[in-house]
Amino acid sequence: MFRTIGFGITLIIIRVMMPDVFMGLEGTLVKFFSVLNDTLGQVPHVTVDQTAMIYPHAVPLP
């Protein structure tokens, strides 16, 4: 719990004392999560038949 509070205080201090660094960090994280979202969005969804091929002992649900 104290780590979370310390992390929050650190973010506030960085935002107040070094706004350029905070904006750069924020932009980097937004871009990272955007790329991650695009990448994971292109993964095909696994159907019940594909699950049965991967795990032959699994019983498919209706």
Side-chain angles (χ1 to χ4, degrees):
M1 182 169 159
F2 290 116
R3 287 184 183 180
T4 305
I5 294 171
F7 182 68
I9 292 171
T10 302
L11 285 178
I12 291 171
I13 290 171
I14 290 174
R15 185 172 185 182
V16 170
M17 296 183 75
M18 298 181 284
D20 293 337
V21 173
F22 185 79
M23 292 297 189
L25 178 64
E26 183 182 20
T28 302
L29 289 175
V30 168
K31 185 65 175 175
F32 171 74
F33 287 119
S34 173
V35 169
L36 186 65
N37 185 32
D38 292 343
T39 303
L40 292 178
Q42 295 177 0
V43 175
H45 298 291
V46 178
T47 63
V48 174
D49 295 334
Q50 292 169 337
T51 304
M53 287 188 297
I54 296 170
Y55 302 107
H57 60 281
V59 178
L61 298 174

